[in-house]
Amino acid sequence: MKVAMQTGRPGCESTASTARSIFARDGMGGFYRGVASPLAGLALLNATLFASYRTGLKLINGPHIADVTAPLASVFGAGAFAGVCASFVEGPVDLFKSKMQTMKVTEAGPQYKGTFDCAKQIVSKHGIRGVYQGLPATFIRNSVGYSLYFGFYQWTLRSLHKDRNSKPGAFAVMAAGSVGGMAFWALYPLDMIKTKLQT
């Protein structure tokens, strides 16, 4: 629904009208179009994101400091580094998803048979550079977004859980994750630009 609204698809002026438009055109399956790309790429994306975050912390602070004791400024910096690294995975994942969700459907059939066919057509037409369409916008969104995410996550967690020698409780972790997520999505206008460039 987000991509349909961001790309200005006819009949997608609000959340409700977008839901009706997708259901009328594609049934329930329309709400899951393009889901194969994020499902396939999610594990690699998370692995890249958190591994590069740890690497960023070590590059800034040295090899023996943990994120719970690292200066907050370095947490923001490591988050930005992680966002740039993760963009090389997230860019293609988002591109294939967005292309699948905005593809043309004619009497001859859909533009793409599936996510793999979508990727194949893009590479065939534009080469490997086509897979990274909109990458500069992804760099900007992710470097700033993940800087805010990791930074505000740690700031909130430390505010709610003062004892650094014990594990934080579930409430503190969930609250920190929520604040970090909201900080990331404060950059929604950048996501809008990225989606426009990719479609």
Side-chain angles (χ1 to χ4, degrees), residues 10 19 34 41-42 47 58 66 68 78 95 130-131 134 137 161 163 167-168 172 176 181 195:
L42 191 59
K58 290 178 181 179
V68 293
L95 175 69
V131 172
H161 184 74
D163 184 4
K167 288 186 177 182
T195 301

Side-chain angles (χ1 to χ4, degrees), residues 118-137:
C118 173
K120 184 179 176 182
Q121 286 192 40
I122 290 171
V123 172
S124 176
K125 189 173 181 180
H126 303 288
I128 196 66
R129 291 182 63 183
V131 172
Y132 289 101
Q133 181 180 333
L135 186 62

Side-chain angles (χ1 to χ4, degrees), residues 92-163:
V93 167
D94 274 358
L95 175 69
F96 301 147
K97 174 181 67 71
S98 297
K99 290 289 190 185
M100 287 293 296
Q101 290 175 344
T102 57
M103 69 175 171
K104 298 173 184 176
V105 179
T106 64
E107 292 182 358
Q111 185 178 2
Y112 308 116
K113 298 175 183 176
T115 301
F116 180 77
D117 182 57
C118 173
K120 184 179 176 182
Q121 286 192 40
I122 290 171
V123 172
S124 176
K125 189 173 181 180
H126 303 288
I128 196 66
R129 291 182 63 183
V131 172
Y132 289 101
Q133 181 180 333
L135 186 62
T138 307
F139 277 150
I140 296 169
R141 186 201 69 173
N142 282 2
S143 61
V144 179
Y146 284 115
S147 173
L148 295 175
Y149 172 79
F150 284 107
F152 278 99
Y153 174 87
Q154 275 299 324
W155 176 78
T156 305
L157 191 63
R158 295 177 190 189
S159 299
L160 296 175
H161 184 74
K162 304 290 186 182
D163 184 4

